[in-house]
Amino acid sequence: MAFGLILRRIVQAIPLLLGVVVLNFTLIQMVPGTFLDVMTAEQQVTDPALIERLRTTYGLDQPPSVQLAKYVASVARLDLGYSYRHNLPVLEVILAHLPATLLLMLSALAIAVVAGSAAGILSAIKVNTWWDTAVSVFAVLCFAAPSFWLGIMLIILFSVKLGWFPVGGMETIGLDGGFWAQALDVLHHLALPALTLGLFYSANYARVMRASMLEVSRMDHVRTAYAKGMRRGAVVLRHIVRNAMLPVVTLLGLQLGAVLGGSIVVEAVFSWPGIGGVLFDSVMSRNYPVVLGILVLSSAVVILANIIVDILYARLDPRIG
């Protein structure tokens, strides 16, 4: 059943990804100017004949429909084009920075799911107490605070005032201490950006988990478990938390795209060397092959993550498949 579910999701993902490619390419075509305009301005190229030869070389003289057909065909071959700014294939440029973004995303999601779910469970168990009120207020504050503002406040407190964490970057330049020393150094740099992004999204998980816990606790099978004499802790863990996790897993799949967008903002605040900086530079320089490549690969990551979430959902609820 799991194999059939995976196969169905992959078949559904193909036209979705194709639609994303076509839509992104069409939107980029509507933007005035090309990378050739920036290139000729920087190099002070004014010869019309040379500019026209460059347009022909890069295929910019062809109709948009022909360019789209060629781009879709190249994406199908896993060729995302060429970055003339970096003088490298687009896929190489993205893959060089994607691990840093994925590390930040996964760390932030882990913080958000664990902290948010734990806060929601505590709030539901201690409903209508000061614990419940405190969790609700904290969730509202985390959700209301913009991620870039929260990041700046954490930098001021923990980096500038206390000096516990570095201000930005991913690693200490010139550090030499072996694998574990470098790994700890990366975690040291990762703490603040991951906490910034994780706290922002943990509010949603806390509120969803609390509502789901309260709803499940009123179901018949929970009352039956209490009637059989089961201890409250066993009922909460076995019958309430597991069923209450289903909306949380659904929310996880829906928020992946938002977390990816939020990570780009946080990367700018903490000078994190992910795809956020590359995307910003590519937009400013009209390096549209890189912009399109990042959008396509980001969409593929979100689609793949949603397939994984569907499988987890089916594991939690055997009725789905």
Side-chain angles (χ1 to χ4, degrees):
M1 182 176 295
F3 178 76
L5 175 64
I6 296 173
L7 185 61
R8 289 199 304 271
R9 293 297 184 267
I10 292 176
V11 172
Q12 294 169 359
I14 293 175
L16 178 60
L17 189 58
L18 176 62
V20 168
V21 172
V22 173
L23 178 61
N24 289 334
F25 188 89
T26 303
L27 292 176
I28 290 296
Q29 288 292 323
M30 297 171 63
V31 178
T34 64
F35 71 91
L36 188 58
D37 298 329
V38 178
M39 182 189 303
T40 53
E42 291 179 347
Q43 301 296 326
Q44 297 182 351
V45 178
T46 57
D47 185 4
L50 177 58
I51 294 176
E52 189 60 31
R53 285 200 300 272
L54 290 174
R55 287 178 55 84
T56 303
T57 301
Y58 296 133
L60 299 177
D61 60 327
Q62 298 175 341
S65 57
V66 176
Q67 296 182 41
L68 174 60
K70 290 184 176 181
Y71 184 73
V72 171
S74 65
V75 170
R77 300 191 304 269
L78 301 180
D79 178 11
L80 300 180
Y82 194 82
S83 172
Y84 310 99
R85 192 90 176 170
H86 301 87
N87 199 26
L88 289 171
V90 171
L91 190 58
E92 289 187 18
V93 175
I94 296 175
L95 291 180
H97 297 84
L98 185 61
T101 296
L102 290 180
L103 177 62
L104 176 59
M105 279 183 57
L106 295 178
S107 302
L109 280 175
I111 293 174
V113 173
V114 173
S117 299
I121 292 172
L122 177 63
S123 181
I125 293 176
K126 303 290 186 178
V127 64
N128 296 327
T129 65
W130 72 271
W131 282 100
D132 186 20
T133 304
V135 170
S136 299
V137 171
F138 182 73
V140 170
L141 290 177
C142 289
F143 186 75
S147 58
F148 68 88
W149 178 86
L150 182 59
I152 293 173
M153 293 301 103
L154 291 179
I155 289 175
I156 293 175
L157 177 59
F158 293 105
S159 299
V160 178
K161 298 293 184 181
L162 300 177
W164 292 355
F165 296 98
V167 175
M170 186 176 175
E171 57 186 357
T172 302
I173 299 176
L175 177 67
D176 185 15
F179 171 79
W180 291 110
Q182 293 178 354
L184 290 175
D185 183 59
V186 171
L187 291 177
H188 193 211
H189 285 77
L190 175 65
L192 287 186
L195 184 62
T196 299
L197 198 58
L199 285 178
F200 180 76
Y201 289 102
S202 64
N204 284 334
Y205 292 101
R207 298 172 69 178
V208 170
M209 191 67 185
R210 178 186 183 275
S212 183
M213 285 273 295
L214 294 177
E215 181 181 356
V216 173
S217 63
R218 293 190 291 266
M219 291 184 174
D220 293 338
H221 72 280
V222 175
R223 289 196 292 266
T224 301
Y226 280 123
K228 290 181 176 179
M230 290 185 65
R231 291 180 292 106
R232 186 185 183 191
V235 174
V236 170
L237 292 177
R238 296 180 186 178
H239 298 284
I240 299 180
V241 172
R242 178 171 179 174
N243 290 282
M245 286 296 296
L246 295 176
V248 173
V249 173
T250 303
L251 181 63
L252 176 63
L254 295 174
Q255 277 198 331
L256 285 171
V259 173
L260 179 59
S263 68
I264 293 176
V265 176
V266 173
E267 285 176 10
V269 174
F270 289 93
S271 301
W272 190 258
I275 62 175
V278 178
L279 179 61
F280 179 79
D281 292 340
S282 299
V283 170
M284 297 303 295
S285 63
R286 293 187 175 88
N287 192 2
Y288 294 143
V290 174
V291 176
L292 283 172
I294 291 175
L295 294 176
V296 170
L297 197 58
S298 301
S299 302
V301 170
V302 172
I303 291 172
L304 177 61
N306 275 273
I307 293 175
I308 296 175
V309 167
D310 288 340
I311 297 172
L312 292 176
Y313 202 101
R315 294 285 296 177
L316 290 171
D317 190 347
R319 296 172 298 178
I320 302 172

